[in-house]
């Protein structure tokens, strides 16, 4: 049954665009159309019931039970690893960036796990990075004031783009529908769209926030961009697909003066809870889940989960595969050196699992595409690969 379940999950993930709730009709030019339903409302479908029947009676807690540590990488020890991410649609390729000024691409198979290539060239701490859709390129930002584009096969730096203001670059993300375009946030409060093929700024693709730009996330169609700063604000921007122009739409003050260290957008959580959602870490000792209520990126708080988060740049993720049953998981790092799993639909006792093994604040977490492995990184430079129990 486990083998069938994994196979069905993979098909479900690949066909998620056809699931109702977030519709992308041609009539709107690919723009997301959001259902006007009360926040948190559930819409069971016959497909969901059939999926649960195939999955059997395993609970969400059993689904996210882990057998233990699969491997520990320590090549960045003593320097924090702020970001960690598996390659797109890949089970075994993982990358992380470090405050030691380098990035590592790690491979977990064939065994033994090893560092495949180290990306060297930044003259300061590396703050963020992103895989291209085809995984052949990584873009990275650094406090040295440069954006670098890397070949992931040989580790060669293809291009270096200096920030025109000479400021520290703190975050970056690819435009999901056009990987020639990358959005970069800097320490002087500016957001900028960059064409990585030319290294040039995109005209009209810049804006200013109220503080240092720390986090970025697009919605799935690439029409809305959210940006968070160190003053506690999240801004939404409308992205013009034809020109790369940014138009400021909405602003939400989460908590005045609290850094928005992570934003992750998701067009659905589970089959029964199909609200477009935003997961936010905001230095308020809570993980926040917002519902996206319109096409301008307006946010409405849906749930919050208690974690230790007062100052560190913590990150969180939605579990990549759609849940077969009521409930769905989000995963976050925490300053108490633990990894937490929360069920977003459970009103009480929302903690599904808690992983212990790090010696310092857990800064980032990443699942591979079939959820068989979870990676986590910490402020001491350790990267732990956790293996999920096979049912």
């Amino acid at each position: 049954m486990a083998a069938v379940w994994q196979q069905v999950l993979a098909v479900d993930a690949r066909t998620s665009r056809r699931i109702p709730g977030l519709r992308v009709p041609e009539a709107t030019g690919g723009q997301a159309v959001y259902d006007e339903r009360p926040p948190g409302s559930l819409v069971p479908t016959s497909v969901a019931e059939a999926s649960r029947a195939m999955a059997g009676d395993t609970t969400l807690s059993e689904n996210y039970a882990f057998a233990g540590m699969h491997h520990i990488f320590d090549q960045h020890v003593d320097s924090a690893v702020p970001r960690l991410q598996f390659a797109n649609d890949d089970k075994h390729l993982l990358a992380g960036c470090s405050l030691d000024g380098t990035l590592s691409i790690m491979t977990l198979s064939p065994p033994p796990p090893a560092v495949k290539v180290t990306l060297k060239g930044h003259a300061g701490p590396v703050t963020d990075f992103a895989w291209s859709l085809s995984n052949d390129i990584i873009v990275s930002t650094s406090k040295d004031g440069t954006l670098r584009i890397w070949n992931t096969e040989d580790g060669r730096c293809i291009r270096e783009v200096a920030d025109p203001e000479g400021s520290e670059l703190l975050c970056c993300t690819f435009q999901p529908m056009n990987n020639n375009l990358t959005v970069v946030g800097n320490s002087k409060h500016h957001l900028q769209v960059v064409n990585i093929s030319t290294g040039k700024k995109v005209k009209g693709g810049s804006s200013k926030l109220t503080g240092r730009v720390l986090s970025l996330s697009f919605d799935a169609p690439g029409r809305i961009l959210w940006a968070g700063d160190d003053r506690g604000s999240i801004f939404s921007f409308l992205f013009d697909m034809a020109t790369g122009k940014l138009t400021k739409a909405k602003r939400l003050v989460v908590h005045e003066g609290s850094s928005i260290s992570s934003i992750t957008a998701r067009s659905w959580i589970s089959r029964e809870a199909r609200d477009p959602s935003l997961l936010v870490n905001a230095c308020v000792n809570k993980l926040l889940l917002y519902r996206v209520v319109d096409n301008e990126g307006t946010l409405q708080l849906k749930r919050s989960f208690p974690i230790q988060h007062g100052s560190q740049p913590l990150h969180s993720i939605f579990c990549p595969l759609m849940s077969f049953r009521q409930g769905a998981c989000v995963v976050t790092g925490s300053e108490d050196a633990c990894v937490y799993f929360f069920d977003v639909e459970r009103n009480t006792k929302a903690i599904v699992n808690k992983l212990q093994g790090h010696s310092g604040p857990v800064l980032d977490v990443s699942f591979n595409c079939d959820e068989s492995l979870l990676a986590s990184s910490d402020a001491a430079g350790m990267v732990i690969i956790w293996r999920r129990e096979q049912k």
Side-chain angles (χ1 to χ4, degrees):
M1 180 60 70
V4 174
W5 179 34
Q6 292 290 353
Q7 190 175 23
V8 175
L9 273 170
V11 171
D12 194 44
R14 286 196 297 272
T15 60
S16 60
R17 287 180 182 276
R18 296 199 289 273
I19 295 167
L22 177 69
R23 307 187 302 279
V24 190
E26 293 182 7
T28 63
Q31 186 166 353
V33 177
Y34 297 90
D35 288 345
E36 294 183 0
R37 294 182 286 105
S41 59
L42 301 180
V43 187
T45 65
S46 58
V47 180
E49 296 300 329
S51 294
R52 280 203 297 275
M54 283 187 287
D57 295 325
T58 52
T59 65
L60 203 62
S61 297
E62 289 171 326
N63 291 342
Y64 291 103
F66 283 76
M69 296 181 190
H70 176 66
H71 189 75
I72 297 176
F73 288 99
D74 61 359
Q75 68 270 19
H76 298 295
V77 71
D78 296 330
S79 293
V81 177
R83 298 308 314 271
L84 191 68
Q85 189 181 357
F86 274 97
N88 295 301
D89 298 320
D90 198 290
K91 294 182 185 180
H92 305 298
L93 199 60
L94 174 72
C97 66
S98 172
L99 299 189
D100 67 11
T102 68
L103 299 94
S104 294
I105 298 177
M106 296 153 273
T107 181
L108 305 178
S109 183
V115 177
K116 176 186 174 184
V117 64
T118 302
L119 311 181
K120 298 179 180 179
H122 279 298
V126 183
T127 53
D128 197 6
F129 75 95
W131 290 92
S132 66
L133 197 58
S134 57
N135 296 328
D136 58 338
I137 285 173
I138 278 179
V139 295
S140 62
T141 52
S142 170
K143 290 187 176 181
D144 67 6
T146 67
L147 171 76
R148 283 180 178 259
I149 298 100
W150 308 88
N151 181 311
T152 58
E153 272 302 310
D154 58 16
R156 180 171 45 92
C157 181
I158 302 169
R159 187 183 299 278
E160 178 182 348
V161 182
D163 182 73
E165 297 181 289
S167 60
E168 297 177 342
L169 298 185
L170 304 177
C171 55
C172 61
T173 189
F174 274 108
Q175 213 292 335
M177 297 300 168
N178 182 358
N179 275 190
N180 273 329
L181 301 180
T182 298
V183 183
V184 180
N186 74 15
S187 61
K188 292 187 178 177
H189 309 184
H190 284 108
L191 200 61
Q192 180 64 57
V193 181
V194 177
N195 186 318
I196 64 170
S197 296
T198 63
K200 303 293 185 183
K201 295 193 303 181
V202 173
K203 187 176 181 180
S206 62
S207 190
K208 190 168 186 177
L209 276 62
T210 51
R212 293 155 50 92
V213 187
L214 302 180
S215 49
L216 300 166
S217 185
F218 274 101
D219 68 348
R223 296 284 181 177
I224 304 174
L225 171 71
W226 288 275
D229 65 25
D230 68 347
R231 302 286 178 87
S233 291
I234 299 175
F235 290 84
S236 66
F237 296 87
L238 305 182
F239 188 91
D240 189 306
M241 301 291 285
T243 64
K245 182 181 177 182
L246 289 174
T247 302
K248 192 177 288 186
K250 300 290 182 177
R251 178 192 177 192
L252 170 73
V253 179
V254 176
H255 188 272
E256 193 71 46
S258 295
S259 293
I260 309 296
S261 61
S262 176
I263 299 175
T264 306
R266 181 71 166 259
S267 55
W268 40 255
I269 298 177
S270 70
R271 287 179 186 241
E272 292 86 357
R274 293 192 297 263
D275 297 327
S277 300
L278 215 65
L279 192 60
V280 175
N281 293 93
C283 294
V284 292
N285 288 313
K286 293 177 185 177
L287 176 65
L288 306 172
L289 179 66
Y290 289 91
R291 179 177 181 242
V292 183
V293 299
D294 60 27
N295 287 312
E296 292 193 332
T298 303
L299 302 176
Q300 184 179 66
L301 185 64
K302 180 177 178 178
R303 289 291 305 277
S304 65
F305 308 94
I307 61 170
Q308 287 189 26
H309 187 194
S311 61
Q312 295 285 337
L314 304 187
H315 295 83
S316 55
I317 55 169
F318 292 96
C319 291
L321 301 180
M322 189 179 299
S323 175
F324 276 146
R325 67 210 87 250
Q326 298 256 350
C329 265
V330 294
V331 188
T332 183
S334 178
E335 290 177 358
D336 64 359
C338 296
V339 177
Y340 287 93
F341 295 70
F342 292 104
D343 181 348
V344 301
E345 295 300 328
R346 192 186 293 180
N347 290 324
T348 60
K349 298 182 179 178
I351 295 178
V352 172
N353 199 356
K354 173 182 172 182
L355 301 181
Q356 297 172 291
H358 286 279
S359 61
V362 180
L363 304 182
D364 203 3
V365 288
S366 180
F367 258 123
N368 66 352
C369 64
D370 69 352
E371 291 188 353
S372 60
L373 297 171
L374 176 79
S376 55
S377 63
D378 65 30
M382 301 293 287
V383 173
I384 298 179
I385 312 299
W386 308 86
R387 184 176 72 256
R388 228 172 87 182
E389 286 185 358
Q390 298 300 310
K391 298 297 180 186

